[in-house]
Amino acid sequence: MAEHLQSLRKRISDAEKRFGRNPGSVRLLAASKARSVEQIRRLAASGQWAFGENYLQEALDKMRELNDPRLEWHYIGQVQTRKIPHLASHFAWLQSLASQSVAEKLDRRREPELGPLQVCIQVNISDELGKGGCQPGEVEPLARLVAQLPNLRLRGIMVIPAPEPAMARQRTAFRRAREIHAELERAGFALDTLSMGMSADLEAAIAEGSTMVRIGTALFGPRRTGPREA
Ligand SMILES: *Cc1c(COP(=O)(O)O)cnc(C)c1O
């Protein structure tokens, strides 16, 4: 595990160099769905603190068992209404915000004492039917709403493009995400997060300006269970 982490960090820093990015400008989020508490504990012991989870109950069980305030939990799965109170009270970040009504409910449920929930708007960048994220045209109105909510803090956008083997085509989708991010900044939003890039396409994402890659397989090895819908 420590070796995987080391070689992944090298892959990220090599990509930063190759594409003219500042060293250390890309954060690593460990996508830990279907990984054990023991695996998370080992990564944390090597200095990896940020973990992304897709399934609420699994995440809550892990949080309870690990009980470590140094860990930073990101929710990266699909949001369903019944999960909102738990998402608002147990996570530091929610990267999969896609609707105004969810934003308002999260804001109402977030205890101010916790500090604002850090939020990324998920954009359905490959326009895939049935996939998470809002349409590109819905991003700015949603950003305007989030900016007015006291218990949410807008950090940027998150995308999961359709899998694509060729790097040039991976870059095309990530470039569209970067353009949406840049439009928001031009509209006056202060953002610092462009969450994009997974095990198979992190170089393309970093080439196009990613500031946070979310990595599972390259860090933990192949998943035993396939990805499932929450
Ligand atoms: C599983 C997952 C990842 C990591 O994918 P890998 O290909 O295993 O690196 C990243 N983001 C989201 C939203 C995921 O669900």
Side-chain angles (χ1 to χ4, degrees):
M1 190 82 70
E3 276 165 40
H4 281 177
L5 179 61
Q6 219 170 35
S7 68
L8 178 60
R9 282 181 176 154
K10 178 157 188 325
R11 223 179 124 188
I12 293 169
S13 66
D14 286 350
E16 286 172 343
K17 276 191 213 115
R18 176 171 161 209
F19 298 107
R21 304 286 310 279
N22 290 330
S25 56
V26 181
R27 275 188 84 185
L28 171 59
L29 180 71
S32 45
K33 60 172 174 274
R35 311 302 181 168
S36 70
V37 161
E38 195 42 51
Q39 286 175 299
I40 292 173
R41 204 175 271 134
R42 262 183 265 149
L43 270 188
S46 307
Q48 174 62 36
W49 303 113
F51 292 89
E53 290 282 341
N54 297 62
Y55 309 110
L56 178 64
Q57 193 53 53
E58 179 186 330
L60 296 180
D61 291 344
K62 288 172 177 171
M63 288 176 193
R64 193 175 316 110
E65 203 172 331
L66 287 156
N67 190 26
D68 184 342
R70 293 170 302 178
L71 301 181
E72 182 183 278
W73 295 98
H74 295 229
Y75 187 73
I76 58 177
Q78 297 211 11
V79 178
Q80 284 135 1
T81 307
R82 65 184 164 80
K83 298 180 184 169
I84 288 174
H86 297 286
L87 297 175
S89 55
H90 288 93
F91 287 84
W93 286 63
L94 183 137
Q95 296 203 12
S96 43
L97 180 69
S99 87
Q100 304 212 3
S101 74
V102 168
E104 283 166 342
K105 291 187 181 99
L106 283 168
D107 180 66
R108 273 201 299 277
R109 292 296 194 142
R110 181 75 169 181
E111 297 288 345
E113 296 77 44
L114 291 175
L117 179 65
Q118 311 297 306
V119 165
C120 290
I121 295 174
Q122 184 181 351
V123 189
N124 187 350
I125 203 72
S126 304
D127 197 18
E128 291 177 284
L129 219 63
K131 286 292 168 70
C134 63
Q135 295 305 307
E138 297 171 328
V139 175
E140 197 172 322
L142 182 51
R144 286 196 193 290
L145 171 70
V146 173
Q148 290 169 1
L149 299 173
N151 300 314
L152 302 187
R153 171 146 178 248
L154 182 65
R155 298 294 293 266
I157 70 171
M158 187 271 265
V159 296
I160 313 170
E164 182 63 69
M167 185 173 185
R169 297 186 55 166
Q170 292 173 355
R171 287 187 65 162
T172 304
F174 289 135
R175 194 173 307 128
R176 280 203 303 278
R178 185 186 65 195
E179 282 160 6
I180 292 168
H181 190 263
E183 275 168 34
L184 284 179
E185 289 189 313
R186 278 196 298 276
F189 296 97
L191 307 177
D192 63 7
T193 303
L194 185 45
S195 174
M196 58 188 196
M198 317 204 303
S199 295
D201 56 15
L202 71 91
E203 280 82 7
I206 290 172
E208 296 297 340
S210 170
T211 68
M212 191 186 295
V213 291
R214 309 175 312 268
I215 308 295
T217 312
L219 199 47
F220 298 100
R223 274 186 294 279
R224 260 167 300 157
T225 51
R228 56 194 163 111
E229 289 297 312

